[in-house]
Amino acid sequence: MNHGFETLAIHAGQEPDPTTGAVIPPIYQTSTYAQDAVGQPRQGYEYSRTANPTRDALQECLAALEGGRRALAFASGLAAEDTLLRTVCQPGDHVVIPDDAYGGTYRLFARVAQRWGLDWTAASIHSVDAVREAITDRTKIVWVETPTNPLLGIADIAALAQVAHDRGALLVVDNTFASPYLQQPLHLGADVVVHSTTKYVGGHSDVVGGALVGIDEELMQNLAYHQNAMGAVAGPFDSWLTLRGIKTLGVRMDRHCDNAEKVVEFLQRHKAVAQVLYPGLPEHHGHEIAAKQMKRYGGMVSFRASGGEEHAVEICNRAKLFVLGESLGGVESLIEHPGRMTHASAAGSPLEVPSDLVRLSVGIETIDDLLADLEQALAR
Ligand SMILES: *Cc1c(COP(=O)(O)O)cnc(C)c1O
């Protein structure tokens, strides 16, 4: 379908049901399918780990939104990552990961994959040279997140694709923070896009899921083989919820961005705030690259409290409308202290975050209410 983003979000993979005309793809809550004769499954469906029509609808839609040839939906973002790693890498191989990767991604490499013989180097992916130096002859994957969590660092996807490809490695981009509405890494040279669909793609904090999207037919077939062989698939109801969320992805992202921009403006003027981290700010180190590869700058905002760690914790505890909690990307605003919450396990590692940092996932509530809540939380 050669349509715009919003049209694809609503229609790709979502033709009215052929049997009843139902406008919304049904939740095919079934594990198995009646076969017409031995060896003749109807429309190719045999067993729901291998394929399920609701999951197929989601996969087709995700592929369309990222400009990929094929997408695969998993039970969580980490399940998608694990499947990708064990499809592409073998013991003795090496991967380059961001030195401020999502905590769970770091843990997957450092505490799980490493025990199975996968070697890794954490590099500052904001520097193309640092990534080039970290690549070895055994490097199979250069793993990138942009923007990063929680420091909102930016990596140059097109430049890193070149660097990875020069050494025969794949460029994998975790596009969770931007969503395909703001950034489409496959168009910039990335080989595989990873999503935690739990976040903006689902968008309503009601389902955990993940996805892999790619262009290369052979790689995608191999990943699909492993999706079935390893089994961490998205269930029919989870697929349906995610697909329901996707329909409004474009309008939600625009409102997330509108609200985040106003929150940034407010925080910058506030004396309780020492520094605001947002790629939309001209003084942000990655602003120019973000401007080149993103449509807008997203709904995530981090800032450093002028009164240090205790002050940062106090702000988080005092917020009311901003719900104190982990995760991000839902319609409701969330606040958290990465040092003691999402990134507590990174303490003492290269991924440790500043202790005075506060992270906001700016939701789509009425902006005046969000600013009033921040005002009372920041007052000393
Ligand atoms: C949440 C998240 C993940 C992990 O996804 P789950 O769905 O929680 O397994 C990976 N990458 C990023 C950037 C995330 O925010």
Side-chain angles (χ1 to χ4, degrees):
M1 248 198 290
N2 196 18
H3 285 133
F5 187 90
E6 292 83 351
T7 307
L8 292 173
I10 294 167
H11 295 287
Q14 302 167 79
E15 295 299 314
D17 183 52
T19 336
T20 63
V23 169
I24 298 301
I27 306 168
Y28 284 91
Q29 195 70 46
T30 187
S31 60
T32 190
Y33 306 82
Q35 305 198 6
D36 292 329
V38 172
Q40 277 181 42
R42 233 172 270 177
Q43 295 179 48
Y45 292 107
E46 302 175 330
Y47 185 60
S48 279
R49 170 162 38 70
T50 317
N52 173 282
T54 316
R55 191 172 91 225
D56 281 350
L58 169 62
Q59 293 181 159
E60 207 175 304
C61 185
L62 285 168
L65 295 185
E66 284 287 1
R69 192 187 302 279
R70 187 163 177 190
L72 300 166
F74 293 85
S76 71
L78 284 175
E81 295 183 18
D82 179 37
T83 303
L84 175 61
L85 278 186
R86 288 199 273 163
T87 301
V88 173
C89 301
Q90 300 187 58
D93 288 344
H94 174 261
V95 294
V96 178
I97 61 170
D99 65 0
D100 58 349
Y102 170 73
T105 299
Y106 174 72
R107 185 177 55 199
L108 179 65
F109 284 99
R111 308 262 181 270
V112 182
Q114 183 172 304
R115 287 202 295 119
W116 295 91
L118 189 64
D119 193 15
W120 56 275
T121 304
S124 170
I125 55 164
H126 322 306
S127 154
V128 174
D129 289 335
V131 171
R132 193 182 286 117
E133 277 163 32
I135 297 178
T136 74
D137 292 339
R138 295 173 296 122
T139 305
K140 286 281 157 53
I141 291 176
V142 173
W143 191 284
V144 164
E145 283 175 36
T146 182
T148 60
N149 176 25
L151 296 173
L152 299 164
I154 297 293
D156 187 333
I157 297 171
L160 292 176
Q162 192 70 56
V163 166
H165 295 161
D166 282 350
R167 301 291 298 273
L170 298 179
L171 183 75
V172 172
V173 177
D174 182 335
N175 203 27
T176 299
F177 265 44
S179 89
Y181 181 68
L182 299 180
Q183 174 174 278
Q184 295 171 332
L186 298 176
H187 291 318
L188 298 164
D191 300 284
V192 179
V193 163
V194 174
H195 273 289
S196 169
T197 54
T198 314
K199 316 295 168 52
Y200 287 108
V201 170
H204 295 73
S205 307
D206 54 7
V207 60
V208 171
L212 299 174
V213 195
I215 322 173
D216 184 73
E217 188 66 48
E218 199 182 319
L219 174 62
M220 290 316 294
Q221 260 179 27
N222 199 7
L223 286 168
Y225 176 85
H226 282 81
Q227 180 194 37
N228 178 50
M230 293 166 67
V233 295
F237 186 48
D238 287 1
S239 298
W240 186 87
L241 278 173
T242 306
L243 205 47
R244 183 189 212 273
I246 284 178
K247 289 179 190 288
T248 55
L249 181 58
V251 286
R252 279 190 285 110
M253 288 316 294
D254 269 329
R255 184 58 66 86
H256 280 296
C257 293
D258 290 345
N259 282 357
E261 285 165 15
K262 293 193 176 106
V263 163
V264 165
E265 223 178 276
F266 168 85
L267 292 173
Q268 277 202 303
R269 279 188 270 109
H270 207 290
K271 60 183 186 309
V273 175
Q275 190 192 1
V276 182
L277 306 175
Y278 189 66
L281 290 170
E283 65 265 30
H284 185 280
H285 75 88
H287 178 67
E288 268 177 47
I289 291 160
K292 205 175 57 179
Q293 67 191 17
M294 297 178 79
K295 185 179 166 119
R296 296 181 71 183
Y297 305 99
M300 298 301 295
V301 178
S302 292
F303 67 92
R304 301 182 73 164
S306 56
E309 179 170 7
E310 288 315 313
H311 184 203
V313 170
E314 225 173 83
I315 293 168
C316 294
N317 284 334
R318 271 207 299 250
K320 292 191 181 88
L321 193 54
F322 276 83
V323 176
L324 177 64
E326 306 197 351
S327 195
L328 60 109
V331 290
E332 62 287 306
S333 294
L334 297 173
I335 189 167
E336 70 126 354
H337 184 264
R340 291 197 193 170
M341 294 171 62
T342 48
H343 289 65
S345 65
S349 80
L351 283 84
E352 187 169 319
V353 296
S355 62
D356 57 4
L357 195 73
V358 175
R359 188 188 79 179
L360 303 176
S361 172
V362 180
I364 63 171
E365 299 95 334
T366 311
I367 184 62
D368 290 345
D369 296 333
L370 294 180
L371 297 182
D373 189 41
L374 287 175
E375 182 68 67
Q376 68 80 25
L378 287 165
R380 294 216 82 180

